[in-house]
Every structure is written in C-alpha cells, then in structure tokens.
Amino acid sequence: MNWINKIKELTTKQDKSPELKKGEIKQILIQTASEVLPDFEFFAYKNSCYSFQRIRQVNNLTAYEVLRIIFTLEDRNFACSISSILNPEYIFSNQYNNGFLNPHKDLKELRHNSGALKIEDAYYFHNGQIETTTKTVREIFGDYKKFGLPFLDEQIEKLKSNAIVKCGFDFIDDLLTDKEKLKKEINEELNKGGLLISSIKHPVYIDLKAKMQSVSGQSKDDRQKIPKTAHELLEIYWTR
C-alpha cells in the first residue's frame, strides 16, 4: 500500500460516533491530558496550536516544558512536538532546536528515533469523528508519556551536570556588560549577517564561545552546539 492510500484509509475509515465539530477538540485534549499527564496544564491556543505546560526548577533556573499539538480538522491530522525552554521568549516558537538550552523536538521523531520520516509516519491522523479522534489523542499523550517525558528528564539532567552548560552559566553570572548595549550590538551583527550565528564577532560572544570550547571531554555533537548555545546564553543574560 502506498503512502497516499495508507493516509486515505486512516482519514476516511468511518466509526459510529458523531462528526467532530469545530472547537470540540479542545475539551478532548484537556480531558485526555488530565488523565494521562496531569502535571501538564493547558495554557494557550495560538495559530491552530494547543499548548500544555509544566514548569520545573533546576539550579535556580526555570524550565518551561511545553507540549505543542497542532490540529487540523480539514486535513485530518495532528502535528506534535515537545520542548524544554529556559528563555521564555522561545515558548511560542515553532522552530525546532537541538541546542543545550531550549531543545524543541518533533514527537514522532522521538517515537521513531529518526529525523527522516515517511509522510505517513510524520503525523497522527484522524477521521473527523469523535471516537477515532479521541483514540488518536490518547495515542498522542501516550507517546508524550513514553517518549516525551524521558526527553524532558534527560534535559533536566543536562542542565544539572553538563560541564559545557555550567561553564556558560558561570560566564554570564559573572558578566557585568551593559545588557541593552550588548543586545543591540549582537542583534546588529546578526541582521547584517543574514541571521547566521557565524556572523557574530562581538568580543563578549567570542570570549564565551572560547571558554565553552575549552571544556574537556567534548563530543563532536557538543562542539557543533556551542556557537548557538553561546548566543542563547547571552539572550538569557540580557532578558533576565
């Protein structure tokens, strides 16, 4: 069966329940979250995205843990992701992030442990009826529990024990540079460089990046994350 027929089967197979009306999905999501993941509370609906949030404290930092569920009645699918955010300005960002501080992952990628998914595996599908849609929602929150919670716990452990992260926070804790001036100068460099992190040449950023790069025992993946993490650390510095 090709992917078109597979998706058609998933979205058109009828059950005996009523058609889902506009807005009804919200209560189904809230009810299922309260049963499966009661720590997460519904807190926002924006751009067709329903967001649930849990807040945890780690090393005097606040981690905003967010479940994002984009629902479409017309296309009959859900797109789901999960994030752990230190900078509140990223809470509503739709961009995925593999960094140390504000990681944001697609839930299906966590489930399949792969970043390259077939289209039929990339979404959660429903048929537009209450019974099947509710089953799909239960599958989604089951995946959040099975694959999402370990991802969030792993992130908390990174914030507690990762030497590169600790080095970066030690740097900004001791930093006495004028916050507004630093923000203005770095954002000007970014804008001139087409928003590429590599375009930042500010001495404070260069110093922070060098200190993080000097931490021993780094993997190749760690080294690739440092440039973005250095920028996100400075964002935290000037916003807090």
Side-chain angles (χ1 to χ4, degrees), residues 168-182:
F169 274 105
D170 286 345
F171 182 95
I172 64 171
D173 287 343
D174 294 336
L175 192 59
L176 298 175
T177 301
D178 181 271
K179 293 181 178 181
E180 286 303 314
K181 184 171 181 285
L182 180 65

Side-chain angles (χ1 to χ4, degrees), residues 66-84:
V66 182
L67 317 179
R68 293 179 179 81
I69 302 170
I70 296 174
F71 169 78
T72 61
L73 188 55
E74 183 180 356
D75 295 334
R76 300 196 171 185
N77 65 46
F78 296 86
C80 305
S81 64
I82 185 168
S83 59
S84 180

Side-chain angles (χ1 to χ4, degrees), residues 12-228:
T12 60
K13 187 176 181 180
Q14 297 293 291
D15 58 51
K16 295 179 181 180
S17 65
E19 292 286 327
L20 195 67
K21 295 176 183 176
K22 188 175 182 180
E24 281 188 310
I25 189 63
K26 179 179 178 181
Q27 194 52 45
I28 294 173
L29 290 168
I30 291 173
Q31 179 63 34
T32 307
S34 70
E35 295 171 5
V36 182
L37 293 174
D39 289 351
F40 288 82
E41 294 185 357
F42 174 74
F43 83 103
Y45 173 74
K46 188 175 183 180
N47 299 329
S48 300
C49 181
Y50 297 85
S51 297
F52 293 79
Q53 181 175 269
R54 178 176 72 178
I55 296 175
R56 286 202 278 180
Q57 302 295 324
V58 54
N59 294 351
N60 298 316
L61 301 167
T62 300
Y64 301 89
E65 299 178 333
V66 182
L67 317 179
R68 293 179 179 81
I69 302 170
I70 296 174
F71 169 78
T72 61
L73 188 55
E74 183 180 356
D75 295 334
R76 300 196 171 185
N77 65 46
F78 296 86
C80 305
S81 64
I82 185 168
S83 59
S84 180
I85 305 295
L86 291 184
N87 186 344
E89 293 192 2
Y90 283 91
I91 286 176
F92 291 106
S93 172
N94 289 324
Q95 290 190 336
Y96 292 122
N97 187 328
N98 290 318
F100 283 120
L101 306 184
N102 302 291
H104 182 185
K105 297 275 192 177
D106 181 85
L107 180 59
K108 277 296 192 88
E109 289 185 8
L110 287 176
R111 172 173 164 169
H112 292 279
N113 193 28
S114 172
L117 298 177
K118 298 175 182 178
I119 191 165
E120 65 266 31
D121 295 326
Y123 298 92
Y124 295 86
F125 295 95
H126 63 89
N127 67 353
Q129 293 175 268
I130 288 177
E131 181 183 324
T132 298
T133 305
T134 301
K135 286 180 180 178
T136 302
V137 170
R138 294 198 71 84
E139 179 188 359
I140 289 167
F141 279 96
D143 282 354
Y144 274 128
K145 186 172 185 177
K146 184 174 182 179
F147 304 102
L149 294 188
F151 163 75
L152 296 175
D153 289 342
E154 182 181 335
Q155 175 61 14
I156 291 293
E157 287 306 310
K158 283 180 183 177
L159 294 176
K160 286 180 180 178
S161 59
N162 185 282
I164 299 170
V165 172
K166 183 180 184 303
C167 171
F169 274 105
D170 286 345
F171 182 95
I172 64 171
D173 287 343
D174 294 336
L175 192 59
L176 298 175
T177 301
D178 181 271
K179 293 181 178 181
E180 286 303 314
K181 184 171 181 285
L182 180 65
K183 178 180 178 180
K184 180 175 180 290
E185 290 172 348
I186 286 183
N187 284 340
E188 283 177 353
E189 289 187 346
L190 276 171
N191 289 331
K192 287 178 182 176
L195 301 181
L196 294 173
I197 295 295
S198 59
S199 65
I200 304 176
K201 307 299 180 186
H202 195 285
V204 172
Y205 170 81
I206 296 298
D207 190 17
L208 169 56
K209 188 172 71 168
K211 283 183 168 57
M212 294 169 71
Q213 288 170 334
S214 71
V215 174
S216 61
Q218 293 180 25
S219 66
K220 181 180 178 181
D221 185 55
D222 290 337
R223 290 192 293 274
Q224 290 174 340
K225 290 178 180 178
I226 285 175
K228 183 177 182 66

